[in-house]
Amino acid sequence: MAKRKTYTRSVDWWSFGVVIYVMLTGNLPFEGRDVETLYAKIAKCKLKIPESLSSEATSILSKLLTKKHEKRLGSSEKDAEEVKDHPYFQHIDWNALLLQNVTPPFVPTINGAEDVSNFDAIFTSEAPIITPPARRRVPPLMEKKTFEDFCWRADWS
């Protein structure tokens, strides 16, 4: 059962660790048949990192997926700078990345809006299932204002 405590940004660093783990291994670091089992495994089981990963990858995963949030990479006053300074990211030019002056290692070829050739057939062969919400929810004014100036572009235009 989940511990109902307030959380800090260290939860986001945990999530970042999960994303990196999935991208490197193709699997989740912890799995369970239901939420309760998953939470129990997260709380009690030791993180298993494949031996095939580099020492830098092993290090960042173990530091981001540290169970004690106060010891987790990124949980200090340095926040993101602590994560960016990790050897796993030693080849990243963060300023160039922010300015979108970095060539991606892979640029997919896309032949139109409905081209799904870059997705695994295991997904594209499935029939889509549309699951509408149980009831339409209109966000409160305060919630709308939170994101009114949100922009995904680095130049904020």
Side-chain angles (χ1 to χ4, degrees):
M1 181 81 116
K3 296 178 182 179
R4 303 276 184 218
K5 294 183 178 180
T6 59
Y7 60 88
T8 64
R9 283 191 310 265
S10 68
V11 171
D12 296 328
W13 294 122
W14 171 275
S15 298
F16 185 51
V18 171
V19 169
I20 293 173
Y21 191 99
V22 171
M23 291 176 72
L24 293 175
T25 69
N27 297 302
L28 290 167
F30 300 97
E31 295 187 56
R33 66 183 179 281
D34 54 45
V35 174
E36 288 78 22
T37 306
L38 175 63
Y39 287 162
K41 285 186 177 183
I42 291 170
K44 296 177 183 168
C45 295
K46 187 177 188 288
L47 175 66
K48 294 178 184 171
I49 300 175
E51 292 178 12
S52 59
L53 296 182
S54 70
S55 59
E56 292 86 1
T58 298
S59 173
I60 198 160
L61 289 173
S62 63
K63 291 178 179 183
L64 287 170
L65 297 174
T66 294
K67 295 179 194 232
K68 294 188 181 218
H69 66 90
E70 66 277 3
K71 295 187 179 212
R72 193 169 299 142
L73 186 68
S75 66
S76 75
E77 290 294 318
K78 286 180 67 182
D79 194 34
E81 293 304 315
E82 184 177 43
V83 177
K84 289 163 52 176
D85 288 342
H86 189 277
Y88 182 77
F89 295 117
Q90 66 186 333
H91 302 293
I92 302 291
D93 179 341
W94 294 104
N95 290 324
L97 187 64
L98 180 65
L99 296 171
Q100 297 180 356
N101 291 335
V102 176
T103 303
F106 172 72
V107 179
T109 302
I110 302 172
N111 299 310
E114 296 185 14
D115 179 11
V116 294
S117 62
N118 291 290
F119 294 91
D120 195 304
I122 197 168
F123 299 110
T124 58
S125 63
E126 293 179 4
I129 300 171
I130 299 174
T131 53
R135 62 181 176 85
R136 183 164 162 74
R137 181 183 164 278
V138 178
L141 182 60
M142 186 177 102
E143 196 173 312
K144 286 181 184 176
K145 286 190 173 288
T146 302
F147 295 101
E148 71 184 359
D149 293 326
F150 179 78
C151 179
W152 62 272
R153 295 179 54 144
D155 61 5
W156 300 94
S157 57

